[in-house]
Every structure is written in structure tokens, then in C-alpha cells.
Amino acid sequence: MFSGSIVALITPFNHDGEVDYVSLKKLVEYHIAAGSDGIVAVGTTGESATLTIEEHVKVVTKVVEFAEGRIQVIAGTGANATHESVTFSRLLNNSGIAGCLSVTPYYNKPTQEGLYQHYKAIAEESDVPQILYNVPGRTAVDLLPETVARLAQIDNIVALKDATGDLGRIAIHRELCGEDFILLSGDDSTGLEFVKQGGQGVISVTNNIAAEDMAKMFRLAKEGKFEEAEIINQRLMPLHKNLFVESSPIPVKWAAHKMGLIEHGDLRLPLTELSENARPIVAQAMTEACIY
């Protein structure tokens, strides 16, 4: 259902802070042409926390419209208030999305029971497959494998995006959740190894600016050609690491603008543009990866 190289899509803005739908359409076409396996619209890389509910829903529906059925679109529906995530799910139920990706509630640090009840409530209000998203480095809460296993028993909770970088969890999740439960990496640096150890794919930041290489790498991995895939992975490793030299998506939006993929590299406060000191680091990573 969900596999391969899926992009955690950036949301382009104009200088006035409004969403740049011309650049958004250009990004969708870029990923279709490059062979990306899917798009996550308005996930955390898409600055979801800074969009209003109306903007959030409009960006997702526009991505679906621009895609015209040529690529799978997953909606980011995460929030730190359960009622807000439920609202996203209700509003997007008949939008044409292939699924929803919901990050663990951030800042308020719910218990494992709170996490279970949060995702259960979302799943009960949605008609589409649900992907759990665990990224404790940004949310200050860890969705433990035992809780994932409980949630996997709910019919439309079908996958986990694991951005912990802990490869040891793959076997644990597989044992607890079964062979049919989909495991996706949310960590570019370990994404290929994640698939090698039994995962189905990656939801990627690097994919925003190296879509063709990422798509090829995970096609090779699916075919079991890991040595060939690793050659690409090592070339992209400077991006995997240095696109996080400052808080994501600051570096990747700067890079996308530099490559001409978006008209402006603007972000919404509290995020600010890439610092002068960090720009040579990202530029060097792009050069070493042979994408610019």
C-alpha cells in the first residue's frame, strides 16, 4: 500500500507569507517526473504547525488536484490536540487522499495510554488508511513498540513512520505487529538500511531535492540490489546529514530555491531563513551529491 521513496513535501510560500500554489504544482510535477512513489502533503516538513486548518486542507486538496491520480498523496493530519487531528480527518475523508500521516502529539507529552486513545479516536473518524508517525527528537514523546502493536489491531491503522533512527526496532515492530503491518523510515541517514532489514520504504526530506536518485535507490533496494543502491546512498549521505544542519525544513527549502524548484525559499515564523554560516555546508552537500 505504501512503499518506496515517498517525499515529505515542503510547502512553498510567497514573500507575503501566502502559499505559493504555482510552485506547489511545479513540485508535484517534479516528483511525478522523477518517479517518486508518493507525496506527503503538509506533514511536519510542510510546516503543518504554522498553517491554519483552512490552509492545511486547501494545500492537501490542491496537491491531490495537481497529481491527477498519477502519484499517491498522503495527508499530514497530525496535531497536539486530538480534536484538531480528528477535524483534519473528517475534512479530508472524501478528498482523494490515499492515507493520513499523524505525528505523535508534541509538547504535551501524553502517556502511552494517551497516545493509544489519540490515534484510536482519529482512526474511528477516518475512512482512509492511517500511518502513525514517531519522531521523539521533535515531539518529546516516544510511541513505544508495545503501543504500536495495540494500535495495529485497529483495522485502518496500517503503517508506522519511524524516525527514531533505531534500527533495532524493526524486528520488534515486525514481531509485535505482524508481516502485513507497513514499516517506513523517517530517517534518511538510515533509510536504506531500514529497508534492507525489512522495512518497506522511507518518507524522506532528501527526496525534496534528489527525487530521481531516491526513487532509483529504493527501486534497486526492492529488487534486492543493495550494493547498487548503496552507491547512490553514499553519494547522497551529505544531504541526508546536512539537510538537518539547522531545523528542518530550513535547509531543504533553501536548497530547493537554489535549484529553482520553488520561486522563494520563505518560511513562516518561528522558522527563519538558513543562516549565512550554514549555507556553504548545505551547498557543499549538494555539490558532493551531484544534484547541483
Side-chain angles (χ1 to χ4, degrees):
M1 186 182 298
F2 305 115
S3 64
S5 180
I6 302 168
V7 62
L9 194 70
I10 54 177
T11 301
F13 298 115
N14 291 312
H15 287 323
D16 61 4
E18 296 300 310
V19 177
D20 176 3
Y21 290 101
V22 174
S23 289
L24 185 66
K25 183 175 183 178
K26 186 177 179 180
L27 288 174
V28 173
E29 294 296 336
Y30 166 71
H31 286 287
I32 292 169
S36 295
D37 294 293
I39 293 173
V40 172
V42 203
T44 51
T45 305
E47 297 175 73
S48 56
T50 71
L51 272 67
T52 66
I53 289 177
E54 292 76 16
E55 287 174 323
H56 192 126
V57 171
K58 184 176 179 180
V59 172
V60 172
T61 55
K62 279 294 185 181
V63 170
V64 172
E65 176 188 322
F66 297 151
E68 298 179 321
R70 295 171 292 167
I71 191 171
Q72 200 173 56
V73 178
I74 300 163
T77 55
N80 63 344
T82 304
H83 67 82
E84 188 172 336
S85 288
V86 167
T87 296
F88 286 136
S89 296
R90 287 174 177 166
L91 291 172
L92 291 167
N93 262 341
N94 299 306
S95 63
I97 58 172
C100 292
L101 173 71
S102 295
V103 69
T104 52
Y106 41 88
Y107 185 76
N108 43 21
K109 299 178 72 172
T111 63
Q112 294 300 304
E113 181 62 25
L115 290 170
Y116 174 79
Q117 295 296 339
H118 172 79
Y119 282 115
K120 179 174 180 288
I122 296 168
E124 288 173 347
E125 294 293 337
S126 180
D127 297 330
V128 301
Q130 300 291 307
I131 305 171
L132 312 172
Y133 178 17
N134 190 31
V135 55
R138 292 192 75 133
T139 64
V141 65
D142 189 1
L143 183 65
L144 297 179
E146 293 77 14
T147 306
V148 175
R150 288 181 68 196
L151 289 164
Q153 301 304 309
I154 298 171
D155 285 345
N156 60 335
I157 295 180
V158 302
L160 168 70
K161 176 185 177 183
D162 184 354
T164 64
D166 181 1
L167 296 173
R169 291 195 180 192
I170 300 168
I172 298 171
H173 284 131
R174 184 61 66 217
E175 180 181 358
L176 293 176
C177 301
E179 292 299 319
D180 293 335
F181 194 72
I182 299 165
L183 298 177
L184 301 168
S185 172
D187 178 58
D188 278 312
S189 293
T190 58
L192 181 60
E193 185 61 28
F194 187 99
V195 170
K196 190 175 182 179
Q197 293 190 28
Q200 279 92 345
V202 63
I203 297 178
S204 164
V205 173
T206 299
N207 195 336
N208 277 284
I209 58 172
E212 189 172 349
D213 283 329
M214 290 290 288
K216 182 178 180 181
M217 181 170 74
F218 284 97
R219 280 197 301 271
L220 289 168
K222 186 175 182 179
E223 296 167 3
K225 298 176 181 177
F226 288 104
E227 289 186 6
E228 293 178 53
E230 187 58 43
I231 293 171
I232 300 172
N233 192 46
Q234 286 305 310
R235 176 164 53 80
L236 296 180
M237 193 59 70
L239 292 177
H240 296 338
K241 294 180 177 178
N242 288 323
L243 287 180
F244 296 89
V245 66
E246 291 183 358
S247 297
S248 184
I250 293 172
V252 74
K253 287 191 92 169
W254 181 85
H257 171 58
K258 191 174 180 68
M259 293 175 66
L261 294 173
I262 55 178
E263 185 68 23
H264 309 290
D266 295 61
L267 302 103
R268 280 189 176 173
L269 288 171
L271 297 182
T272 54
E273 66 178 347
L274 189 66
S275 68
E276 292 289 345
N277 290 339
R279 292 178 188 183
I281 298 172
V282 178
Q284 181 64 28
M286 295 166 68
T287 299
E288 291 177 11
C290 302
I291 65 164
Y292 185 75

